[in-house]
Every structure is written in C-alpha cells, then in structure tokens.
Amino acid sequence: MIPYGRQWISADDVAAVAAVLESDFLTQGPVVPAFESAVAGYCGVAHAVAVNSASSALHLACRALDLGPGDCLWTSPNTFVATANCARHCGAQVDFVDVDPDTGNLCPRRLAAKLERAAAAGRLPRVLVPVHFAGQPCDMEAIGALAQRYGIAVIEDAAHALGARYRGTRIGDCRYAQMAVFSFHAVKLITTGEGGMVTTPDPALARRLQSLRSHGITREPAQMENDSEGGWYYEQIALGHNFRMTDIQAALGLSQLRRIDAFLDRRRALAARYDRRLAALPLRRPVIAAHTDPAWHLYVVQLAPGQRRSVYTAMRAAGIGVNVHYIPVYRHPYYRRLGLRREDYPQTERYYAGALTLPLHPQLDEAGQEHVIETLQGALAAP
Ligand SMILES: *Cc1c(COP(=O)(O)O)cnc(C)c1O
C-alpha cells in the first residue's frame, strides 16, 4: 500500500532517540527546551511551548486565553475534529465559517459577513481558529484585520503548515495571531511520534502555557502567592494538565527539524509533478492563493462529486492509500446534536463532495507517484 502520508526516519533520528534513552532524563528534561528554541528560531517567534499533541496544544491555547462557558470559538469546518473540540473541552460553544471553494481555507469574505451579523446580535466569538488546510496559509492579513476590528483572539491551526510562508515570513511567527499550533503526528511535516507545539510572541501567554501543561504548577518565585518554604517548594496556581512532551520525543523532533528544508523541497517537487501530470485529467488541481508558499502537507484534487466514491474504492483496491480530508466537523453526530447544520455551509459541502487526497510524502519516489497517476487515470476513465 502506498500511504497518503508517512514519516521518514533516518539513522541520525534513531541515534538521537537512543542517546536520550541512555541519558538521565526520559520525561521533560533538557532536550524539550532545545527543541522549543529550535522551532521558535525556525518560525521567527520569541516563544514555543512543546506539548504531547496538537490537540493538547489547541486545548492549552484556549485555556491560556481563558476561553470558557458563555464564550464561542469559530473555526473552519474543513478540519480535523480537534480544532473544534478544544472549545468544547473549555465549556465553550463552537460555530463554523464556510470555506473558500478554491482553497478549502476559511473564507475572509464569509467571515466578515458572519461577524457583522454576530455583532448586530451581540454574539461575537472570543476566539477564531483559522486552519492552514493542506499546508496552504489562509488569508491571514484579512482575517487578522477582522479579528482586530472586533476584538477577537486568533489561534492559527498550523498542524499542516510547518515551513509554509505567508507574505514572505514563516507561519508560526504569529504576525496576525496570538498563538499558532503545530502537530508532530507521524504523517505531519516533521514527527515526534505524537507531539505538538504552541508558538507565541507574548511572554505572558508563554508563561501561562508552560504552567498549564504541567498541572498549573510553578516554581518561579515571581509567580507564587506565598513566600518559599524551602528548596522543595512549588505552588499550584491554576488547574492544569499533564500535557508534557518527553525528551525522547523532543530528540526525534530536533533531529527531524534539521531536515525540514529537504522534506519541504521534496514535497514541493512532488506537488509540481502532480500538477504537470494531472493537467489533462478531468479533475481540479489545488489552487494556490496569492502571497502563499505552501508546505504541501496534502495534495487534494477535486473530482466530480458522483465519481469520488468509485475512484476512492478503485484506488484503495489497487493499493493506493488515497484519503478524504475532511469530513466536515458539523457532520459528526456529536456536533449535529449541538445543533450545527450542513445547510449553513454550502461551500464546505461542495468541497467535501469532490475531495480526494493523493499520496504525498518525502519518500514517495517517481515510480510510486507514476503508479498513483496511472491508477487515477484508469479509475477516472472507468464507466
Ligand atoms: C493532525 C491535526 C490536528 C491534531 O494533531 P494531533 O497532534 O494529532 O493531536 C489538529 N488539527 C489539524 C488540522 C490536524 O491535521
């Protein structure tokens, strides 16, 4: 089976992990801050806080903003459920903004209209989470301007977008947001097995995130309410979680990050080759918006809606791990029960109906890619 995504582990990665296994620290030790500094430096942002998954990172980012009951978070429905679940974990409501049918990203025009209606009704969201779908940056300039006008905090879900650029700088620098969240799940741009990271330029948010990922405990005298009772003393100042990353994971992440540019080059080359080789087929190739340099986490084509299921089935039967990104979040029974309705998101419905994700990962070679293309050609020609 040719998978749609896959990690690439080198001998150096294995050696880096083995070195930690033989060191004094298995849990959060000196390698976690080294990995955090490396990601912060790569993204061009002051602070990065590592956690055990992007799902935890989203939850923690919402907690750091004090999102809670009575609040609402808006996001894109064309995403993994974790992007919306973070609000529910905080007791907040969720609503969605329909996508741009070209890119599958949250549409700033639809956002503007929805904000105007929400402002008139006195029901503005507290937090907005744009998702850089497939690794292509959202129109952050427009989204950031709207968020600022209405006083809404922005968390970028950058799970697909490590290394992507928008208007010349890297996603994760938070030029238009309070925080950005990355995933290091095995199929993402780099991996730590499971793992995630929050980046932020704001030192106060970074301190909140650090405390909340470790039970709400602090050892910093400046943050304590009482005087220290001795060297052992620490205080729990909020209700936090155990969302820590291990040094084992951080060592893998640090080693992987050294190869990020090679990974991205390879993804770019494969995407360009798909673009050339699929040009004559009856499908829509990914549309790249102005001012964006995508990380190419996914290569999603649009088929005629009536064809998607049979093409998916034929390609799977031929050993090609095509996939569908995403089942819109409002379609899941849990969100339907909360009153969300597919009729409100016609562009997302259209995008979902035709979407098919083709295999794309740095170890996919040209012969493998050619096999994908020829099988797709055959499946599209089948009656
Ligand atoms: C993978 C993913 C997540 C969750 O990441 P985990 O690290 O698996 O928790 C969140 N949002 C998006 C868009 C993702 O693709």
Side-chain angles (χ1 to χ4, degrees):
M1 183 71 104
I2 298 180
Y4 83 89
R6 191 182 193 280
Q7 73 279 8
W8 184 348
I9 301 298
S10 69
D12 284 349
D13 293 342
V14 173
V17 170
V20 169
L21 290 173
E22 288 167 357
S23 77
D24 291 336
F25 295 92
L26 296 185
T27 57
Q28 187 177 306
V31 190
V32 167
F35 181 41
E36 289 172 337
S37 299
V39 170
Y42 181 72
C43 292
V45 68
H47 306 280
V49 179
V51 289
N52 56 2
S53 72
S55 303
S56 299
L58 286 159
H59 184 176
L60 217 55
C62 290
R63 290 282 322 271
L65 294 169
D66 283 318
L67 187 74
D71 295 331
C72 192
L73 174 149
W74 287 8
T75 186
S76 162
N78 184 33
T79 187
F80 184 57
V81 291
T83 318
N85 288 348
C86 56
R88 302 297 301 151
H89 285 303
C90 295
Q93 300 298 311
V94 174
D95 200 356
F96 299 103
V97 182
D98 209 358
V99 299
D100 177 322
D102 283 341
T103 62
N105 272 338
L106 188 146
C107 171
R109 218 163 31 77
R110 293 180 175 87
L111 173 64
K114 194 173 170 104
L115 282 169
E116 205 172 300
R117 291 195 300 275
R123 298 178 61 171
L124 283 169
R126 275 219 37 224
V127 176
L128 178 68
V129 187
V131 179
H132 304 305
F133 176 71
Q136 173 165 202
C138 295
D139 184 353
M140 288 308 298
E141 194 174 66
I143 291 170
L146 285 166
Q148 202 153 32
R149 183 183 321 155
Y150 289 99
I152 301 163
V154 178
I155 303 167
E156 294 172 70
D157 184 337
H160 299 183
L162 184 67
R165 285 175 182 273
Y166 174 73
R167 292 185 181 272
T169 65
R170 285 228 170 83
I171 291 296
D173 69 357
C174 302
R175 229 186 330 160
Y176 306 93
Q178 276 61 51
M179 288 173 274
V181 165
F182 294 100
S183 173
F184 308 125
H185 179 278
V187 299
K188 304 289 164 70
L189 284 308
I190 64 167
T191 189
T192 60
E194 298 272 9
M197 187 93 69
V198 187
T199 62
T200 181
D202 182 335
L205 281 175
R207 274 196 301 277
R208 288 267 296 150
L209 293 164
Q210 282 158 357
S211 161
L212 289 169
R213 83 170 153 189
S214 199
H215 310 284
I217 284 172
T218 183
R219 290 177 185 277
E220 293 293 321
Q223 292 178 39
M224 292 184 187
E225 278 183 24
N226 304 300
D227 292 334
S228 173
E229 294 166 12
W232 66 85
Y233 191 71
Y234 59 84
E235 284 184 351
Q236 184 187 340
I237 54 176
L239 180 61
H241 309 264
N242 180 353
F243 283 167
R244 292 186 304 264
M245 178 180 275
T246 66
D247 263 26
I248 305 168
Q249 294 167 305
L252 180 54
L254 197 53
S255 179
Q256 287 254 304
L257 189 65
R258 295 200 183 99
R259 309 215 304 292
I260 181 76
D261 289 333
F263 290 166
L264 292 168
D265 284 348
R266 188 70 199 132
R267 286 177 177 279
R268 232 177 260 122
L270 287 164
R273 197 155 180 283
Y274 270 138
D275 270 346
R276 284 196 304 277
R277 297 280 289 112
L278 300 179
L281 295 188
L283 51 77
R284 205 152 55 83
R285 288 167 285 136
V287 176
I288 304 308
H291 312 298
T292 71
D293 181 7
W296 289 109
H297 168 55
L298 302 174
Y299 191 93
V300 181
V301 296
Q302 284 284 323
L303 308 181
Q307 262 189 324
R308 200 264 305 275
R309 190 170 185 154
S310 62
V311 170
Y312 174 93
T313 307
M315 293 190 77
R316 281 274 171 158
I320 296 175
V322 288
N323 213 324
V324 172
H325 295 94
Y326 280 100
I327 302 164
V329 178
Y330 53 73
R331 278 181 165 244
H332 291 287
Y334 173 80
Y335 283 95
R336 281 229 301 270
R337 282 199 293 277
L338 295 174
L340 293 150
R341 293 285 170 260
R342 65 178 70 167
E343 293 76 30
D344 294 332
Y345 312 101
Q347 300 305 330
T348 305
E349 284 293 294
R350 203 160 300 153
Y351 194 89
Y352 169 55
L356 188 74
T357 303
L358 304 182
L360 177 61
H361 56 86
Q363 270 184 308
L364 179 65
D365 59 15
E366 290 199 355
Q369 189 181 28
E370 208 50 42
H371 181 46
V372 173
I373 293 162
E374 278 161 20
T375 311
L376 177 59
Q377 212 159 8
L380 283 166

